[in-house]
Amino acid sequence: MTTKQPHFQAELALDEYRVVLQAAPDLVMPASLRVGTLAKSGPDADRRGSAAVAALTGRQLLGRTAVGPGDVAGDPHPLLLVALGLPLMAVQAMRVQSWTPTESSQTVVSVAGRLMSAVTVTVPRCTDSPQTSARASEHGRVAISLGSLSLLVGHLDGLLAAAPPEPAGMRALTVQLGLVESRTLIAAIRTGDDLVTEQLATQFGATAAVPLLRSLAVSGGG
């Protein structure tokens, strides 16, 4: 019988993920999941690396082998290696990019035979772009899962943001915007231009949506 429970799941800090990749140099990750090295991601690389190794060995995700300055020894957990290595042998793969006002995520879902793996790298988002380079980030997290193919639909569904509940007394509103108006509205939201946002919303009978549209604006954007 095929189980629907993941065979393996882990969430790593960004530095822990870097340590795992350094401990398995034969792993070649997709470009969207590459996060650079400890040394190039910020200051105090040795201290951060030692803390990451201690956390990984404490969770039995990395072998308990002596670690020297700037060097990583010990083998990562076998299932962790399988999950991270599946993109190399995948028959099918999907890449998903998503972001919120504060975070940016890159996900690669790989399928090989009856196995699937999903790796999501999430880092703090720049205020002026939906994309943030994980290579230059000290902070972030990496969600890793490995399981049977039956998990695929549920995992992809989990990548989609749930629609917020409709407030009492409110009704859904659908409006149609032309291409020019759509681009103007998106630019106004990105730059925090409340006046243009309100004018467009009012023009298309969506005045009630103005507070929501304003909340999407990224402070300091440009």
mmCIF file of all heavy atoms in Angstrom, residues 32 93-97 106-109 131:
data_model
loop_
_atom_site.group_PDB
_atom_site.id
_atom_site.type_symbol
_atom_site.label_atom_id
_atom_site.label_comp_id
_atom_site.label_asym_id
_atom_site.label_seq_id
_atom_site.Cartn_x
_atom_site.Cartn_y
_atom_site.Cartn_z
ATOM 1 N N SER A 32 17.948 27.890 -9.291
ATOM 2 C CA SER A 32 17.046 28.630 -8.399
ATOM 3 C C SER A 32 17.193 28.223 -6.938
ATOM 4 O O SER A 32 16.703 28.922 -6.047
ATOM 5 C CB SER A 32 15.593 28.427 -8.835
ATOM 6 O OG SER A 32 15.229 27.059 -8.773
ATOM 7 N N ALA A 93 9.988 17.946 -13.685
ATOM 8 C CA ALA A 93 10.299 18.906 -12.626
ATOM 9 C C ALA A 93 9.486 20.171 -12.851
ATOM 10 O O ALA A 93 9.198 20.552 -13.998
ATOM 11 C CB ALA A 93 11.789 19.222 -12.602
ATOM 12 N N MET A 94 9.107 20.790 -11.755
ATOM 13 C CA MET A 94 8.349 22.035 -11.805
ATOM 14 C C MET A 94 9.030 23.063 -10.919
ATOM 15 O O MET A 94 9.476 22.743 -9.818
ATOM 16 C CB MET A 94 6.909 21.824 -11.321
ATOM 17 C CG MET A 94 6.051 21.033 -12.281
ATOM 18 S SD MET A 94 4.629 20.285 -11.466
ATOM 19 C CE MET A 94 5.390 18.836 -10.737
ATOM 20 N N ARG A 95 9.109 24.274 -11.395
ATOM 21 C CA ARG A 95 9.673 25.359 -10.602
ATOM 22 C C ARG A 95 8.578 26.370 -10.301
ATOM 23 O O ARG A 95 7.821 26.757 -11.198
ATOM 24 C CB ARG A 95 10.811 26.040 -11.363
ATOM 25 C CG ARG A 95 11.374 27.254 -10.639
ATOM 26 C CD ARG A 95 12.379 27.995 -11.510
ATOM 27 N NE ARG A 95 12.685 29.293 -10.943
ATOM 28 C CZ ARG A 95 13.306 30.271 -11.589
ATOM 29 N NH1 ARG A 95 13.690 30.075 -12.833
ATOM 30 N NH2 ARG A 95 13.543 31.416 -11.013
ATOM 31 N N VAL A 96 8.480 26.773 -9.050
ATOM 32 C CA VAL A 96 7.470 27.738 -8.623
ATOM 33 C C VAL A 96 8.161 28.881 -7.897
ATOM 34 O O VAL A 96 8.941 28.653 -6.975
ATOM 35 C CB VAL A 96 6.426 27.095 -7.681
ATOM 36 C CG1 VAL A 96 5.385 28.124 -7.254
ATOM 37 C CG2 VAL A 96 5.757 25.901 -8.354
ATOM 38 N N GLN A 97 7.901 30.097 -8.323
ATOM 39 C CA GLN A 97 8.386 31.275 -7.614
ATOM 40 C C GLN A 97 7.187 31.972 -6.981
ATOM 41 O O GLN A 97 6.154 32.161 -7.622
ATOM 42 C CB GLN A 97 9.095 32.247 -8.557
ATOM 43 C CG GLN A 97 9.591 33.504 -7.841
ATOM 44 C CD GLN A 97 10.151 34.544 -8.793
ATOM 45 O OE1 GLN A 97 10.274 34.300 -9.992
ATOM 46 N NE2 GLN A 97 10.478 35.711 -8.274
ATOM 47 N N GLN A 106 11.597 30.216 -3.718
ATOM 48 C CA GLN A 106 11.830 29.449 -4.935
ATOM 49 C C GLN A 106 11.637 27.980 -4.593
ATOM 50 O O GLN A 106 12.254 27.470 -3.659
ATOM 51 C CB GLN A 106 13.250 29.671 -5.456
ATOM 52 C CG GLN A 106 13.557 31.097 -5.879
ATOM 53 C CD GLN A 106 13.065 31.409 -7.282
ATOM 54 O OE1 GLN A 106 12.550 30.530 -7.978
ATOM 55 N NE2 GLN A 106 13.228 32.648 -7.706
ATOM 56 N N THR A 107 10.781 27.307 -5.339
ATOM 57 C CA THR A 107 10.492 25.894 -5.101
ATOM 58 C C THR A 107 10.768 25.081 -6.357
ATOM 59 O O THR A 107 10.428 25.504 -7.463
ATOM 60 C CB THR A 107 9.017 25.692 -4.691
ATOM 61 O OG1 THR A 107 8.761 26.387 -3.474
ATOM 62 C CG2 THR A 107 8.699 24.212 -4.493
ATOM 63 N N VAL A 108 11.397 23.936 -6.172
ATOM 64 C CA VAL A 108 11.556 22.968 -7.260
ATOM 65 C C VAL A 108 10.942 21.655 -6.796
ATOM 66 O O VAL A 108 11.335 21.110 -5.761
ATOM 67 C CB VAL A 108 13.027 22.768 -7.649
ATOM 68 C CG1 VAL A 108 13.157 21.617 -8.645
ATOM 69 C CG2 VAL A 108 13.598 24.047 -8.254
ATOM 70 N N VAL A 109 9.959 21.177 -7.552
ATOM 71 C CA VAL A 109 9.325 19.888 -7.285
ATOM 72 C C VAL A 109 9.798 18.915 -8.358
ATOM 73 O O VAL A 109 9.676 19.195 -9.558
ATOM 74 C CB VAL A 109 7.785 20.000 -7.306
ATOM 75 C CG1 VAL A 109 7.154 18.634 -7.059
ATOM 76 C CG2 VAL A 109 7.308 21.004 -6.260
ATOM 77 N N GLN A 131 12.127 39.468 -6.156
ATOM 78 C CA GLN A 131 13.201 38.496 -6.080
ATOM 79 C C GLN A 131 14.289 38.978 -5.128
ATOM 80 O O GLN A 131 14.572 40.168 -5.036
ATOM 81 C CB GLN A 131 13.810 38.262 -7.456
ATOM 82 C CG GLN A 131 12.833 37.655 -8.451
ATOM 83 C CD GLN A 131 13.484 37.373 -9.785
ATOM 84 O OE1 GLN A 131 14.585 37.804 -10.049
ATOM 85 N NE2 GLN A 131 12.795 36.629 -10.622
#
